[in-house]
Amino acid sequence: MARIAVIGAGMGAMAAAARLAVAGHRVAVYERSETYGGAVRRFERDGFAFDTGPGLLPLPAVYRDLFVKTGKEPLEDVVELVQVDPSARHVFADGTEVALPNASRAGVVAALDEALGAGAGQRWGDFLVRAREAWDRTRRPLLEEPLWPNWQVLAEREPYPSVPHKRLLRTRRAATLAEIGAWELRDERLAALLESHVLGYGLDPRTAPASAAVLPYMEHAFGTWYVRGGIRELARAVYERCLKRRVEFRFGAEVTGVLREDGRAAGIELADGSLVEADHVVADVDPARLRALTEHPLDADGDVRPGDPVLPTPGRFTALLALRGGREPGAVHRTVVHAPDAQSELDFLASPGGDRPVCPTVTVLRPDDPALAPDGAHESVVVSAVVSAEAAWEDAGTVRSYTDFLVEAAERAVPGLRERLLWHEVRTPVHTERETGARSGAVPAPALAAGGGRFLHPANTTRLPGLYRVGGWSHPGGGLPHAGMSGALVAGLIVEGPEFRGSR
């Protein structure tokens, strides 16, 4: 039985802790804040409750697997999963609207044809077929296996089978997601639909590789799910599973260093000066903080390391709206209100030092969930947008501008919003940094193949034996399912050793 110290109580860290405890190890989690879940948190006031992190769960099979592998109680016995249908309503810049059925190719094709014109649905359906091929080529090496030293093979090979496109007497193939939209979908609204799947993670579709097509495919193939009571309930369930497996949690325990002995990680040092010995250390923190904790090279010197930043760091701006009046019949759970000027939005994200903020693409979440409001005569709504974490979030004018953008966009999804608004709370990247410790409140994106490795994340192993990386800042990247997968990979590497090649 090994002693394992886990830094941070994020979703990836807890997924690893539960699996390691079941394998017979003694696991203790050290969390700098006073609660678990990382960015998966809840805000409560006056009988209203809001998810302040992710609001929906893609690919729930990852957490079903976690609960199956860590005990006899399946996930559905501890949380109620609800399939969101329609998956989303999209409101495009020209006023066109379309509601897309959940996990139904035929339904999506028909909806797009009706809303956008004949042929639009078929082009989207053909794209999904190609995206599935990219998914089949990358799923195992990108998501289900550790990132091995020969990761360059995954970085250099573009798995998306682009359609040949003739331009200026030359035949070209799409290398970025934006080129797929322009050359294969051939409709600005379809392109906006496509690009919203990467923009939601702060990625610029003009630079994101074509392999990012796997993100809309995942949503289409595996559906979009909601956890009754809010996604925070999923974090609670994972935390309680850890407790049942005798994982120890210490909250308010900030780790200030990783101990080394005989050339390997040997424990951690806490802010109060106490030392904790361990045979393995698992860190669920962002790369900058981990480097500060170790003062030891974690990757090969001179390497172009996976996860080196290629864009200004993305964050998330969220408005929590408490409304009088109940949710009207037929209201859609998720509405995406696309930016009126997509190029200006992307330019501002890429250069946050611009003269003024611009209206972003906004996501409006309206769960049909009595647990989130004081009674049926009220409604809680979460409105969010991806923003640059490097913008001036301490400036009241910047916060006010984005609040106005979000409320204005939400009015296109919520009838009579301003007249119904009782109060609102705003969450900026500054709040995210305080809660998660992530530098500038950044939110990591999922790992993507191709792109020269710039969209991969650091491997779960490091050059310091006994030190492992888990969670959204490590392979296979950000997002709830990816964090859960990272926990499985780290547990496998510790239990089975360097020969571990992923679950079968």
Side-chain angles (χ1 to χ4, degrees):
M1 178 175 68
R3 301 163 300 174
I4 298 174
V6 180
I7 306 173
M11 298 298 284
M14 291 196 296
R19 291 175 182 271
L20 289 166
V22 166
H25 298 297
R26 193 170 72 206
V27 185
V29 178
Y30 299 84
E31 166 60 44
R32 60 189 288 275
S33 73
E34 297 299 330
T35 190
Y36 54 84
V40 183
R41 300 207 178 199
R42 174 184 286 144
F43 177 85
E44 297 180 353
R45 173 182 161 187
D46 300 340
F48 292 88
F50 309 84
D51 280 322
T52 60
L56 295 171
L57 175 64
L59 202 58
V62 172
Y63 289 92
R64 290 191 180 109
D65 180 74
L66 171 64
F67 276 75
V68 167
K69 299 289 177 58
T70 59
K72 297 179 180 180
E73 193 175 27
L75 176 62
E76 279 82 355
D77 282 0
V78 292
V79 298
E80 182 182 353
L81 289 178
V82 181
Q83 195 167 28
V84 176
D85 198 13
S87 174
R89 169 180 167 235
H90 288 263
V91 180
F92 298 106
D94 66 354
T96 306
E97 300 184 13
V98 61
L100 301 179
N102 199 342
S104 168
R105 183 179 183 277
V108 167
V109 167
L112 289 172
D113 275 343
E114 181 178 354
L116 308 186
Q122 186 62 51
R123 291 195 298 278
W124 183 260
D126 291 343
F127 156 74
L128 288 176
V129 172
R130 295 188 291 275
R132 177 179 179 174
E133 188 170 337
W135 167 259
D136 290 340
R137 291 174 178 175
T138 61
R139 181 183 65 181
R140 184 157 185 82
L142 189 63
L143 301 178
E144 298 175 356
E145 296 180 346
L147 191 66
W148 300 112
N150 64 343
W151 59 264
Q152 289 87 349
V153 175
L154 185 63
E156 295 166 2
R157 184 178 302 161
E158 174 54 69
Y160 178 77
S162 303
V163 176
H165 170 75
K166 284 191 175 181
R167 187 180 185 190
L168 300 177
L169 303 180
R170 295 178 57 192
T171 298
R172 299 186 58 189
R173 294 177 181 269
T176 67
L177 204 72
E179 289 176 341
I180 292 176
W183 299 350
E184 299 179 11
L185 298 179
R186 304 190 306 279
D187 184 300
E188 288 185 358
R189 296 161 298 182
L190 286 180
L193 170 61
L194 171 67
E195 293 174 3
S196 66
H197 287 84
V198 300
L199 186 59
Y201 290 106
L203 297 173
D204 187 335
R206 300 172 300 186
T207 57
S211 67
V214 299
L215 298 179
Y217 173 77
M218 285 173 61
E219 181 172 306
H220 162 76
F222 305 110
T224 303
W225 300 78
Y226 173 69
V227 178
R228 187 72 68 187
I231 296 296
R232 175 66 177 178
E233 287 297 293
L234 177 64
R236 175 199 56 77
V238 176
Y239 170 68
E240 291 180 355
R241 175 54 55 92
C242 286
L243 293 180
K244 287 183 178 180
R245 299 299 167 259
R246 300 185 178 180
V247 175
E248 177 188 353
F249 284 82
R250 286 190 56 185
F251 296 107
E254 182 170 3
V255 176
T256 55
V258 174
L259 306 177
R260 285 181 288 161
E261 185 176 330
D262 298 329
R264 62 173 289 115
I268 57 174
E269 180 179 1
L270 300 178
D272 63 6
S274 60
L275 306 180
V276 178
E277 295 182 351
D279 301 296
H280 302 278
V281 176
V282 177
D284 189 355
V285 297
D286 75 51
R289 186 176 171 216
L290 184 57
R291 284 193 292 270
L293 293 178
T294 57
E295 298 181 354
H296 184 281
L298 301 180
D299 299 282
D301 293 336
D303 276 0
V304 178
R305 293 183 296 276
D308 280 351
V310 294
L311 292 173
T313 309
R316 193 167 299 279
F317 186 95
T318 303
L320 313 176
L321 311 181
L323 306 183
R324 64 170 63 88
R327 191 175 183 268
E328 74 276 8
V332 175
H333 189 125
R334 174 174 57 164
T335 299
V336 179
V337 181
H338 293 265
D341 187 339
Q343 293 305 309
S344 294
E345 177 185 25
L346 296 177
D347 289 342
F348 187 78
L349 281 174
S351 303
D355 293 336
R356 60 181 180 84
V358 298
C359 186
T361 295
V362 174
T363 299
V364 183
L365 296 181
R366 305 179 64 192
D368 185 10
D369 191 343
L372 303 184
D375 53 48
H378 295 86
E379 181 183 7
S380 70
V381 175
V382 177
V383 190
S384 64
V386 169
V387 295
S388 171
E390 300 174 357
W393 295 117
E394 302 286 1
D395 177 67
T398 300
V399 173
R400 187 165 51 251
S401 293
Y402 272 96
T403 302
D404 291 342
F405 286 146
L406 266 61
V407 171
E408 182 178 350
E411 286 186 291
R412 304 182 71 177
V414 184
L417 175 77
R418 289 188 188 271
E419 292 74 21
R420 298 175 57 194
L421 185 60
L422 290 170
W423 51 262
H424 72 275
E425 291 278 347
V426 169
R427 318 261 312 169
T428 75
V430 173
H431 294 89
T432 306
E433 181 173 16
R434 283 194 208 123
E435 292 177 352
T436 68
R439 183 177 53 177
S440 300
V443 178
L448 299 173
R454 296 170 298 164
F455 298 87
L456 297 174
H457 288 260
N460 305 110
T461 54
T462 71
R463 288 187 66 194
L464 180 61
L467 175 63
Y468 300 84
R469 292 176 280 217
V470 75
W473 294 107
S474 64
H475 178 72
L480 281 171
H482 295 71
M485 293 174 190
S486 76
L489 294 176
V490 167
L493 287 165
I494 292 176
V495 172
E496 299 186 23
E499 68 277 5
F500 175 67
R501 291 297 182 269
S503 58
R504 296 288 176 179

